[in-house]
């Protein structure tokens, strides 16, 4: 039996900003729980609880501590970049985008992994706030 049903229509357009922001915050929450928490616990073991100013004074008093915190921040940033890049490269979505039914669509059919890394660089300024 050959039914001649109409093809499913798909609209390709920019997602509303609110949907993209909600998806981003869902992804940040997932990153925070799964990836950032262990690093945050490590930083809390290294640096005692204090006010922000005391915290900075304590860190800058020891050059080894500055190096260690810098390395932790770089690793966290790389993991966040990989989270977005790998998921979008492999399945075209992150968990936040899946929940909101958003997809990453390329105008070029041949997209390289490095293009997804560049696309994900927006995460870098948010990492210090996640820590």
């Amino acid at each position: 039996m050959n039914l001649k049903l109409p093809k499913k229509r798909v609209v390709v357009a920019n997602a509303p900003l609110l949907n993209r922001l909600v998806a981003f915050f869902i992804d940040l929450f997932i990153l925070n729980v799964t990836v950032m928490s262990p690093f945050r616990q490590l930083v809390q073991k290294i640096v005692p609880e204090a006010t922000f100013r005391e915290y900075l004074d304590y860190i800058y008093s020891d050059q080894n501590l500055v190096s260690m915190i810098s390395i932790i921040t770089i690793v966290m940033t790389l993991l966040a970049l990989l989270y977005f890049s790998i998921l979008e490269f492999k399945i075209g979505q992150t968990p936040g985008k899946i929940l909101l039914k958003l997809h990453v669509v390329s105008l070029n059919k041949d997209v390289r992994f490095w293009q997804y890394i560049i696309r994900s660089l927006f995460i870098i300024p948010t990492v210090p706030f996640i820590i």
Side-chain angles (χ1 to χ4, degrees), residues 29-68:
F29 177 76
I30 292 169
L31 263 173
N32 193 17
V33 171
T34 59
V35 176
M36 304 303 176
S37 288
F39 288 103
R40 190 176 304 108
Q41 291 170 1
L42 177 63
V43 170
Q44 287 173 348
K45 287 180 183 176
I46 296 170
V47 181
E49 294 241 355
T51 64
F52 185 71
R53 183 67 189 159
E54 293 169 341
Y55 178 77
L56 287 178
D57 289 341
Y58 180 77
I59 289 173
Y60 289 127
S61 67
D62 183 4
Q63 188 59 36
N64 291 331
L65 197 56
V66 171
S67 299
M68 197 174 338

